[in-house]
């Protein structure tokens, strides 16, 4: 008795096969334009670098540090210009306290502000503007000098720069800065930091120009012997700050683009190693489902050594089990047809003969034959019903590990009395000593062994011997 039955095949008429050509995907799979698994892998792999880059592009701390350094540098240069004006731009009228000389102050501010790259404005203690390094005063007119923005590079970098400036203006807080009140006749009241400087304390501010550029300002007092005679307001457009942020973000975006290319390539490779074999397995399963002719085998992916390889093994074993069950069903149907055909033939012959025979003795014999054939048909139908019920129960029963060596020993002990009564000995022959375990239903396996032992007891002569042997042959256990 082999617990891994081999498949048997018999020629049984089948309906025409509904085949799918080899290598062609089944209809449900063909309708998919892209693999959902590929999209999920791509989304998961891109999520981490996108979040990382979004965090890196948020450079407020770095921006604030650059802004603080630029304001400190601007304040230092403003203090140098204010110190020079406090020393050389003050006149002593000999009557009252020293006074600022507008003429000298304009000359000094014009000379000192240009190499320092500043726009310097000098306010008196009363808040009046007396000098501006960007305003040229002549007897006929007043000319204001404006600083032009740096030249822009062309091509895609210029377009990227414009897009960056748009985002920086409306998304990075530049649009929220106060607008610079750039007037030729400015007053100290227009700048809170100047009001603070007239009290003897330095102040600073950040504003935006009309073209949305960052404007830094620093106001320091102009003093002589600790006496505040005015305030110097120094301003500069901080293009270097935005350029530094732009360069850093551009470097991050370039690295992100390279990382995206690598991530997308690896994602498609990973998705291919997962989705492609799964699609092959699904297509093979579809071909098996639609085929009624020859057998289709599931691709063997065990060399992969991963879960997909295990899945292919499970599908192959499941397919082979289904084929064996189909073969067993075909064989069972053929056997049933053959077994039923014999009593039916005998019945038909007996009925036809009974209609022609007039001898009562022969009629009784024919009726006895008919009765035996009916009993035989009833027994066959009962056996078919029992077999079908048993198969249904077996398909729903839970299997488990069964130790066949222990079951053989238990069976030999259970039949010792019946065997002794019949003059027959029952014993278990020793094997290799290994465990003989199989997956199955213990009760049904015991029933099979009981039937075999009872048949052996029925046909063994007195003094006979019944030997139970169990051995392992590869992955099978033979009893």
């Amino acid at each position: 008795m082999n617990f891994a039955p081999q498949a048997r095949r018999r020629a049984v008429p089948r309906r025409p096969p509904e085949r799918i050509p080899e290598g062609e995907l089944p209809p449900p799979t063909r309708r998919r334009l892209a693999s959902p698994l590929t999209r999920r892998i791509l989304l998961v792999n891109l999520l981490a670098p996108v979040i990382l880059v979004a965090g890196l592009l948020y450079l407020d701390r770095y921006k604030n540090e650059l802004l603080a350094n630029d304001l400190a540098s601007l304040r230092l240069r403003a203090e140098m210009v204010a110190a020079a004006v406090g020393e050389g731009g003050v006149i002593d009228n000999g009557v009252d306290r020293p006074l600022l000389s507008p003429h000298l102050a304009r000359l000094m501010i014009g000379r000192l502000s240009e190499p320092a790259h500043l726009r310097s404005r000098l306010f008196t203690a009363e808040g009046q503007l007396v000098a501006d390094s960007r305003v040229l005063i002549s007897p006929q007119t007043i000319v204001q000098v404006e600083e032009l923005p740096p030249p822009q590079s062309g091509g895609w970098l210029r377009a990227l720069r414009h897009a960056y400036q748009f985002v920086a203006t409306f998304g990075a807080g530049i649009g929220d800065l106060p607008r610079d009140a750039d007037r030729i006749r400015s007053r100290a009241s227009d700048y809170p930091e100047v009001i603070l400087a007239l009290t003897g304390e330095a102040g600073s501010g950040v504003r935006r120009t009309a073209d949305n550029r960052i404007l830094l300002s620093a106001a320091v007092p102009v003093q002589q012997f600790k006496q505040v005679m005015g305030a110097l307001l120094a301003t500069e457009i901080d293009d270097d700050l935005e350029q530094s942020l732009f360069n850093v973000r551009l470097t991050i975006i370039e690295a992100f683009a390279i990382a995206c290319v690598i991530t997308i390539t690896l994602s498609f490779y990973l998705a291919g190693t997962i989705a492609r074999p799964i699609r092959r397995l699904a297509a093979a399963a579809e071909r098996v489902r639609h085929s009624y002719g020859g057998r289709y085998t599931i691709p063997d992916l065990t060399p992969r050594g991963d879960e997909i390889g295990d899945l292919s093994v499970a599908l192959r074993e499941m397919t082979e089990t289904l084929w064996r069950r189909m073969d067993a069903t075909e064989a069972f149907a053929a056997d049933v047809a053959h077994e039923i055909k014999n009593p039916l033939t005998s019945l038909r012959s007996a009925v036809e003969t009974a209609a022609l025979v007039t001898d009562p003795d022969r009629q009784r014999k024919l009726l006895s034959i008919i009765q035996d054939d009916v009993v035989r048909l009833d027994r066959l139908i009962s056996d078919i019903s029992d077999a079908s019920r048993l198969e249904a129960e077996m398909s729903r029963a839970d299997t488990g590990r069964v130790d066949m060596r222990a079951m053989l020993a238990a069976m030999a002990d259970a039949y010792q009395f019946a065997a002794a009564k019949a003059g027959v000995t029952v014993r278990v022959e020793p094997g290799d000593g290994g465990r003989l375990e199989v997956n199955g239903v213990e009760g049904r396996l015991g029933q099979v062994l009981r039937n075999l032992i009872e048949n052996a007891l029925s046909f063994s002569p007195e003094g006979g011997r019944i030997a139970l042997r169990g051995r392992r042959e590869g992955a099978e256990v033979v009893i």
Side-chain angles (χ1 to χ4, degrees), residues 46-60 167 249 252-253 256 260:
L46 284 177
L47 187 60
V50 166
I51 294 176
L52 179 62
V53 168
L56 291 176
L57 292 177
Y58 187 73
L59 298 173
D60 272 5
V167 174
R249 287 184 169 121
I252 294 174
I253 292 175
F256 171 70
C260 280

Side-chain angles (χ1 to χ4, degrees), residues 325 329 332 383-399 441 444 447:
R325 182 165 294 184
T329 302
F332 178 74
D383 291 342
I384 294 171
S385 176
D386 292 340
S388 300
R389 179 176 53 83
L390 178 61
E391 184 177 1
E393 291 178 358
M394 290 292 292
S395 63
R396 292 191 295 266
D398 294 330
T399 60
V441 182
R444 293 303 182 185
Q447 181 180 356

Side-chain angles (χ1 to χ4, degrees), residues 190-231:
D190 296 333
Y191 302 96
E193 59 268 26
V194 175
I195 301 297
L196 183 62
L198 291 177
T199 63
E201 299 289 337
S204 60
V206 182
R207 296 177 178 82
R208 64 184 176 94
T209 62
D211 54 353
N212 292 315
R213 299 162 70 188
I214 296 178
L215 180 70
L216 304 182
S217 63
V220 295
V222 178
Q223 303 178 9
Q224 190 179 57
F225 303 114
K226 301 297 181 181
Q227 181 181 355
V228 178
M229 294 176 293

Side-chain angles (χ1 to χ4, degrees), residues 144 157 309:
Q144 183 176 2
L157 191 60

Side-chain angles (χ1 to χ4, degrees), residues 144-162:
Q144 183 176 2
V145 180
E146 293 185 1
E147 183 180 358
L148 296 176
Q152 298 285 341
S153 58
W156 67 271
L157 191 60
R158 180 177 182 181
L160 183 61
R161 179 73 181 186
H162 285 319

Side-chain angles (χ1 to χ4, degrees), residues 422 424 451-466:
V424 179
N451 291 338
L452 292 176
I453 294 174
E454 289 173 359
N455 288 337
L457 286 174
S458 300
F459 292 97
S460 295
E462 185 176 356
R465 178 174 62 89
I466 299 175

